Amino acid sequence: MKKRLLSVLLFAATSAFAQLTVTAPDNVQCDDNFDGVAIFDLTINNTSLLGGLNPSLYSVNYYASDADAQAGTNALASPSAYINISSPGSETIWARVQENANASNFGITTFSVI
């Protein structure tokens, strides 16, 4: 009986701290007139980031730094109309997929806007 109880407790403890596995989407490219400035729709990656997860149960947010993505703070205000801040070249964007019912269950990945 003690072994069974220990197994159940161990399983519950590991499940409580499980992290989502998030696959990095393709990089986003857009600079129609080659001036080094573009407006990007980062949300085109939502389906890829969610994989098979139900979009009504999980949220996708985008961040300018790993620290913000880890903390879940300072998400980019307009991910569907993001203006790059690094010109010319590419810029790293952090994406965080988080379970709505359990904020500690999340995964982070990166991609570039070019």
Side-chain angles (χ1 to χ4, degrees):
M1 181 66 172
K2 287 182 183 179
K3 273 188 172 181
R4 184 178 297 172
L5 181 59
L6 182 60
S7 296
V8 169
L9 289 174
L10 184 59
F11 175 75
T14 18
S15 298
F17 297 104
Q19 295 289 304
L20 290 175
T21 301
V22 181
T23 303
D26 292 334
N27 294 329
V28 179
Q29 299 182 8
C30 179
D31 185 3
D32 298 336
N33 61 3
F34 304 103
D35 66 351
V37 179
I39 297 175
F40 297 90
D41 182 0
L42 306 179
T43 64
I44 64 170
N45 284 325
N46 285 5
T47 301
S48 175
L49 288 162
L50 287 168
L53 298 174
N54 184 336
S56 66
L57 301 177
Y58 293 85
S59 298
V60 178
N61 288 297
Y62 298 92
Y63 301 86
S65 74
D66 181 52
D68 284 344
Q70 292 292 337
T73 58
N74 302 316
L76 297 176
S78 300
S80 61
Y82 177 72
I83 299 174
N84 63 314
I85 57 174
S86 176
S87 174
S90 68
E91 180 179 337
T92 301
I93 301 293
W94 284 260
R96 175 182 168 124
V97 176
Q98 174 180 304
E99 183 180 6
N100 297 335
N102 180 6
S104 65
N105 187 22
F106 66 91
I108 295 173
T109 190
T110 62
F111 62 94
S112 295
V113 291
I114 302 169

